[in-house]
Amino acid sequence: MQYPDSVRRRSGLRVLAVALLILAMSGCQKIELERAEGTKLNWDTLRGQWVLVNYWAEWCKPCLEEIPELNELDKAPDITVLAVNFDGVRGDALVELGERMGIEFTMLADDPGPGFGWKLPVALPATFLVNPGGDLVETRFGPQTEEELRAVIGG
C-alpha cells in the first residue's frame, strides 16, 4: 500500500521538526562550574583561550612546586588556569588551603572532569590542557613549568 503524497509530506515535516527541536535543545546546555568561594563560572566564557585544569593536593610536594608557574600562566590574557583539589576539600576550608599554598588562580569547588567525560587522574599533579575550541588535547602528569606548558600550547 502506498501512502498519498500529503501523508508522506506531513510525516516528513514532523521528522524535520523533531530533529530541529533536538538540535536547538542540545545547543542550549550551559555548563557552569562552581568556584571555591561559591560563585559560578560559565564554561562558555572561556572559549577562545587555553584552559589548564590542574589537579592538586596539599600532601603533593610536586604540586606545591608548580603553583608559582601556574600563577604566572594564569596572568596571560589567553590562558586560564583552574584548580581542582584531589581530596575533595570544599568551601571555606578550600579557600583557606589555597591561600596557604599560594594558589592565585581560580579554584573550583568540584571536579568538572566527569561532566566532560574525563577520568580521574592516576597521579598528581595532573594538568588537563583544553584548547581555545574547548577540546581536551593533552593530559600532563608531574610538575609543569611555564616554559613546558607554553611549548605545548604554542606561545
Side-chain angles (χ1 to χ4, degrees):
M1 173 177 185
Q2 189 172 15
Y3 292 103
D5 286 340
S6 62
V7 171
R8 280 189 290 182
R9 263 186 294 227
R10 279 192 305 247
S11 178
L13 287 174
R14 277 190 216 118
V15 169
L16 179 61
V18 169
L20 289 174
L21 180 62
I22 290 170
L23 279 173
M25 289 174 60
S26 68
C28 292
Q29 184 180 7
K30 185 167 90 170
I31 298 172
E32 284 192 333
L33 308 174
E34 185 179 345
R35 293 179 178 99
E37 69 279 355
T39 61
K40 300 290 183 183
L41 172 64
N42 183 335
W43 180 255
D44 288 338
T45 63
L46 302 176
R47 291 292 174 130
Q49 58 186 300
W50 283 90
V51 179
L52 310 180
V53 180
N54 179 260
Y55 291 78
W56 63 280
E58 180 179 19
W59 46 263
C60 170
K61 289 189 192 269
C63 297
L64 190 57
E65 291 172 20
E66 75 176 354
I67 289 171
E69 305 283 336
L70 297 173
N71 284 339
E72 284 305 309
L73 279 166
D74 189 59
K75 293 175 184 174
D78 58 338
I79 300 171
T80 295
V81 181
L82 302 174
V84 178
N85 180 265
F86 187 79
D87 294 327
V89 178
R90 294 185 49 100
D92 291 340
L94 178 57
V95 172
E96 291 169 15
L97 179 58
E99 288 172 359
R100 269 197 332 267
M101 292 189 68
I103 296 174
E104 298 170 1
F105 43 95
T106 300
M107 291 187 299
L108 298 177
D110 296 304
D111 180 3
F116 296 123
W118 303 346
K119 293 186 178 182
L120 190 65
V122 295
L124 292 181
T127 304
F128 288 57
L129 286 81
V130 179
N131 70 16
D135 301 313
L136 176 65
V137 294
E138 187 172 337
T139 303
R140 300 178 65 89
F141 296 97
Q144 303 299 306
T145 66
E146 180 180 4
E147 182 179 330
E148 289 167 338
L149 290 168
R150 285 194 179 276
V152 173
I153 63 178

